[in-house]
Amino acid sequence: MHRSDAGVDLYLWSARDLGASTAVVPFLQFEPTPDLFINLKFPLALSLNGPGDLEDPRDGQSRAGLGNPTFTLYYADIDGKLTWYAGGRAGLPLGVVDDYDWRWATAYASAAMGYYDLHLWAADALPIGGLGGIEYRFGRSFVLRAGGDLTFFVPLQDRGRRGFIDDSDDLDVVFQAKVEPEFQSRAGFGGGVALQTVWVPSSVYDDQGQVSLLPYFVYDSQKTFFMRAGLLLALDEPLGPAFDRRRVTSLYLQFGGHID
């Protein structure tokens, strides 16, 4: 986890009457000085064959929009089998762009990710937050990861509902957490499952949280290439349960390379 890497995360969700929504999140992580890491993300949202515009909702349309490019700086240290990390992040608020197609694409890309990492898609707000977590290795083949972060969404303008967040001009707070056990053989093949939750106290929904499960297969050569493939399953409302009509079951792909 704490290496210099470059790659992309892809989430693909398709639902009847909503078309196909894709979240594309290229990332770059590097270590400018020992144990200090910089992580950059550049999210892109694509919506294919979605509902038409307000004048002709039956006419399927394709849309695209940029999420909030995000800068994360964190410190990581290893103590025996335990690795811990802590840091902070900020996003460039491209979500203030007032365009219907742009906002449609980014809102449904956020849903395709189970509302996890809401800061990548936040509209009309500046996302600033802190993060931390641990990684513990039980021998060579099994690792347990756990982490969370707290993000503040500083309002920049009030233009109505901001996805999973309320429609006021108040400061919003979002907490998210993830627990992820993973097994990996000496050959680099393995699998794991991530249980993740997002809690938004100011959510417009009666249920202020979203819980998702992401089982996946993994391959990591340890020297050059790595990849993951799995399914993100929304377990509860508002996006779940998975496999129901208009509920979220997303194909997840990650691939990239080690550059250290």
Side-chain angles (χ1 to χ4, degrees):
M1 178 179 178
H2 306 291
R3 298 181 61 176
S4 295
D5 299 321
V8 61
D9 288 306
L10 300 170
Y11 296 81
L12 175 61
W13 169 45
S14 180
R16 183 177 297 180
D17 302 326
L18 297 177
S21 296
T22 305
V24 183
V25 188
F27 61 86
L28 172 65
Q29 178 167 286
F30 57 96
E31 188 177 11
T33 61
D35 301 326
L36 186 67
F37 291 85
I38 292 175
N39 183 288
L40 305 174
K41 293 187 176 182
F42 308 93
L44 169 66
L46 301 173
S47 175
L48 305 176
N49 198 34
D53 56 27
L54 298 178
E55 296 180 356
D56 190 358
R58 295 173 299 176
D59 183 22
Q61 289 190 9
S62 296
R63 302 175 171 89
L66 295 177
N68 305 313
T70 301
F71 173 89
T72 301
L73 178 69
Y74 71 94
Y75 177 83
D77 191 26
I78 300 176
D79 183 10
K81 297 182 178 180
L82 175 69
T83 299
W84 64 269
Y85 64 93
R89 71 159 63 96
L92 181 64
L94 297 187
V96 299
V97 173
D98 187 20
D99 179 83
Y100 175 81
D101 292 332
W102 181 298
R103 293 188 175 217
W104 171 279
T106 55
Y108 280 86
S110 178
M113 293 177 59
Y115 290 143
Y116 206 76
D117 285 346
L118 269 173
H119 55 272
L120 296 176
W121 312 106
D124 302 322
L126 172 66
I128 302 175
L131 67 155
I134 62 169
E135 178 180 291
Y136 191 86
R137 287 201 166 271
F138 297 85
R140 167 63 179 81
S141 300
F142 182 71
V143 60
L144 177 65
R145 304 183 186 96
D149 55 72
L150 187 68
T151 303
F152 299 91
F153 292 73
V154 182
L156 299 179
Q157 56 187 7
D158 186 8
R159 291 186 178 272
R161 180 173 161 183
R162 303 197 295 271
F164 195 36
I165 305 176
D166 72 359
D167 59 358
S168 74
D169 58 358
D170 297 330
L171 177 73
D172 287 298
V173 179
V174 177
F175 172 76
Q176 66 179 24
K178 179 186 294 187
V179 177
E180 180 182 3
E182 180 181 297
F183 170 82
Q184 193 173 128
S185 69
R186 292 185 178 275
F189 296 95
V193 59
L195 177 64
Q196 57 191 46
T197 182
V198 183
W199 182 52
V200 185
S202 57
S203 171
V204 297
Y205 299 98
D206 293 335
D207 185 348
Q208 297 175 324
Q210 178 62 56
V211 180
S212 302
L213 193 69
L214 201 166
Y216 60 87
F217 296 101
V218 63
Y219 172 72
D220 191 338
S221 71
Q222 300 297 328
K223 294 182 179 180
T224 53
F225 178 75
F226 62 87
M227 64 86 65
R228 286 186 179 188
L231 285 177
L232 185 144
L233 309 172
L235 299 183
D236 62 347
E237 294 184 348
L239 297 179
F243 301 112
D244 281 5
R245 183 178 180 182
R246 287 196 173 195
R247 303 301 184 178
V248 173
T249 301
S250 297
L251 174 66
Y252 170 63
L253 295 173
Q254 180 193 75
F255 55 88
H258 301 298
I259 56 178
D260 54 3

